[in-house]
Amino acid sequence: MFDKSGINKRHASSMLRPVVSGVLVFGFLAVAQDRLLNHSELQAQDQSRVSRVYCANLIYANNKTSVCFSSEFMQDVNTNTNIVASEKFNPVAMDSHELFNYPFAVMTGEGSFRLTNEQRQNLRNYLLHGGFVVASAGCSSREWSRSFEEELNRIFPEAKLGTIDFSHPVFSTVYDINRLEGKAVLKGLEIDGRIALVFSANGLNDSKTSDDDECCCCGTTELRNARQINVNLIVYALTH
């Protein structure tokens, strides 16, 4: 399924001291317990007590961040699953401890970039301790994809991205997806038996949500079923 073997978190954790506190790690567990509440239970409870899932929009390098990545797929999460999700992204610095409050994050942009040492270390810790990142080049920028893969090699020199086969659960958590509608493959970084990061050189941005919408990446090689893929990815992240 993968070109190279994934990371064993037990060994990886011993190589790099965690910067997260037990309280924040417990936060991931609390989200996992609350996310499976069914609709009747939600209606019977005070909504303020229900854990809401938030997605981080990563700020990295020199204040680089997403411009085109659409959050519309979060609406589908609320409609088609029992997960209660915020329908907007929250901007979060890659090198901040705040990142560990989010079980799911998107990372995108255009052009070349270089991360700081603090950003690399924090991202490594985040992924090793339960975090999940969807990374995709804005407007299918080749320069961005090249920079991203170079940075990931620096952060995880012991493991490589591998192509994800369609038999993997990321393609069937909500929607059954047996092809990518566009010239692309999805690559994953496996940590201790789970995928912790998914990367696409072609757009998972879904910046155009309908035929009538304007978008900033039209005419590029974005995946036309990106919205369904992103729903599957966030549900996988929350259940694995």
Side-chain angles (χ1 to χ4, degrees), residues 60 64 107-113 135-138 141-149 199-200:
Y60 58 95
K64 204 174 189 70
M107 179 180 176
T108 188
E110 299 176 41
S112 60
F113 66 91
S136 178
S141 168
R142 293 182 180 181
E143 295 81 5
W144 193 93
S145 292
R146 187 180 303 113
S147 293
F148 177 82
E149 295 202 63
F199 166 70
S200 174

Side-chain angles (χ1 to χ4, degrees), residues 33 39 148 169 183:
Q33 291 172 345
H39 288 303
F148 177 82
K183 296 180 179 179

Side-chain angles (χ1 to χ4, degrees), residues 39 44 62 70 79 110 127 209 214 228:
H39 288 303
N62 185 18
S70 171
T79 301
E110 299 176 41
L127 295 174
T209 56
E214 295 182 0
Q228 290 75 28

Side-chain angles (χ1 to χ4, degrees), residues 213-234:
D213 288 343
E214 295 182 0
C215 66
C216 55
C217 294
C218 295
T220 65
T221 52
E222 288 187 282
L223 296 177
R224 293 183 295 279
N225 57 342
R227 185 162 173 164
Q228 290 75 28
I229 294 169
N230 289 333
V231 170
N232 277 16
L233 292 178
I234 190 170

Side-chain angles (χ1 to χ4, degrees), residues 68 70 205-215 218 222:
C68 293
S70 171
N205 308 32
D206 187 32
S207 60
K208 185 177 183 181
T209 56
S210 75
D211 291 337
D212 297 326
D213 288 343
E214 295 182 0
C215 66
C218 295
E222 288 187 282

